[in-house]
Amino acid sequence: MTTRDLGLIHRFEPGAPDRAPLLLLHGTGGDEGDLLPLGRMVAPGAPLLSPRGAVLENGMPRFFRRLAEGVFDEADLRRRAHELADFVAAARTAYGIGAPVALGFSNGANIAAATLLLRPETFAGAVLLRPMLPFGEAEAGADLAGRPVLMLSGALDPIVPEASAAALADRLARAGAAVEHRRLPAGHGLSQADVAEAQAWLGRAAIPAAA
Ligand code: MLT
């Protein structure tokens, strides 16, 4: 059921207490229902928390404002990343769950990357599908202390420059994250390989439920 509580419209699907919860973050024009099937596929039985981005671009929900495709309003991005971190903290208390693993696609992957850099305690790990570097300038001080991060890029992606994804992988690794970055033979859209890679990585990472 969709609710407006806790500051962001969202859905929560309870799951097994021994499975790390997933925070599902949709792409531009999506909503809180979009990634639930993907979440159920890659982490069967896990609790799923799925907010809707609060920014509207021509009626399409997003997690932060952009000035043009790939050009972000960084002040808004920072504000929204803090809002998302506050939402996650409130949801953890309300639903009695541990720190979630973020699973974000496109715009959702970008807000997840920004939140990792600004509020590293928010996520136990992250799966970033077609992400790019969210900030032009280095964020000082983030300590990701071995946090597991999977990045899946599309070799044929017309939206995300390869150098931007590589720069994000580098930035996260320098902050201490355990980054695995794979390039799939895909475009910007998700493929079956994304599902298989994400599912296998979540199994390998074995992130505890109460992180
Ligand atoms: C973004 O705006 O976050 C990226 O350009 C990806 C997108 O949403 O198209």
Side-chain angles (χ1 to χ4, degrees), residues 28 62 64 66 70 72 106-107 110:
T28 299
R62 285 176 52 84
F64 57 88
R66 64 180 164 184
F72 301 153
S106 189
N107 182 245
N110 295 337

Side-chain angles (χ1 to χ4, degrees), residues 22-189:
L22 290 189
L23 178 75
L24 304 173
L25 299 165
H26 63 76
T28 299
D31 68 19
E32 67 279 10
D34 264 27
L35 296 187
L36 291 171
L38 178 66
R40 291 184 200 118
M41 270 191 280
V42 300
L48 302 176
L49 177 62
S50 188
R52 185 191 306 178
V55 168
L56 285 180
E57 180 185 280
N58 301 322
M60 296 186 295
R62 285 176 52 84
F63 286 96
F64 57 88
R65 272 169 38 86
R66 64 180 164 184
L67 308 174
E69 191 169 286
V71 183
F72 301 153
D73 177 338
E74 293 194 12
D76 188 65
L77 171 56
R78 281 182 168 74
R79 181 163 80 87
R80 304 283 176 183
H82 283 293
E83 279 177 7
L84 182 67
D86 293 343
F87 164 78
V88 170
R92 286 185 58 181
T93 304
Y95 298 122
I97 53 173
V101 177
L103 174 66
F105 166 62
S106 189
N107 182 245
N110 295 337
I111 189 87
T115 308
L116 272 171
L117 290 166
L118 290 173
R119 298 274 291 272
E121 74 286 0
T122 305
F123 303 136
V127 178
L128 307 177
L129 307 168
R130 310 295 182 271
M132 56 197 283
L133 187 67
F135 300 118
E137 286 168 29
E139 290 303 310
D143 180 5
L144 288 165
R147 214 64 53 84
V149 176
L150 174 66
M151 288 177 51
L152 296 178
S153 298
L156 310 169
D157 190 334
I159 293 177
V160 177
E162 202 175 320
S164 180
L168 173 61
D170 182 59
R171 179 86 51 93
L172 293 171
R174 276 190 286 119
V179 181
E180 197 171 316
H181 184 197
R182 291 177 184 271
R183 281 173 200 79
L184 305 177
H188 195 66

